[in-house]
Amino acid sequence: MSSYADVNVVWAGTSPASGRFHPAEIKSTAAELFDRFGELRSRGEGYLEVRMPDQDFPLLTVGFRGKYAVIHRADAPDSMSLLQGDNSMPFDEAVEVPVMDDPVEFTGDFVSSVDHACRTLQEFVRTSE
């Protein structure tokens, strides 16, 4: 992920030390964001909110537990959307993933693999879309 060393992002996320969401935003390189994503992934779950430094929106959130993730996108303060899942789970099954500090259940319609969520986050950081 060295190609992200010069890209800056603003993010908040689960603290690896406490396992709790820490809402204070961090401005860092995207490489540091992906390091945190990897650390949380190795611990089995986490939640991140990411935006570009010069704008409040769009904002992407990723909550994941085990091999499943759910991605939200906010385009304005009152506009939050769930991204369609990648068929990694049957649409009529459900999984809980963290949203901030709360476990929230989502059906397979909106569930992606953690790998897909990571690629989506990479694309968002690369393009802001």
Side-chain angles (χ1 to χ4, degrees), residues 27-88:
K27 183 176 182 181
S28 73
T29 65
E32 292 170 300
L33 166 68
F34 290 117
D35 286 347
R36 173 64 62 90
F37 186 92
E39 187 174 1
L40 294 172
R41 189 173 182 179
S42 71
R43 294 173 182 267
E45 69 178 30
Y47 174 80
L48 295 166
E49 297 179 347
V50 183
R51 65 179 179 84
M52 303 314 289
D54 56 344
Q55 54 196 20
D56 291 336
F57 297 97
L59 172 79
L60 203 70
T61 74
V62 179
F64 61 92
R65 178 172 286 143
K67 62 183 182 176
Y68 298 116
V70 174
I71 306 166
H72 288 86
R73 179 186 166 105
D75 289 312
D78 57 352
S79 173
M80 178 75 74
S81 302
L82 275 167
L83 273 63
Q84 191 69 33
D86 67 354
N87 298 317
S88 61

Side-chain angles (χ1 to χ4, degrees), residues 98-118:
V99 174
M100 295 184 176
D101 283 327
D102 298 319
V104 178
E105 188 174 279
F106 295 92
T107 62
D109 290 345
F110 304 106
V111 176
S112 297
S113 70
V114 175
D115 289 336
H116 178 81
C118 186

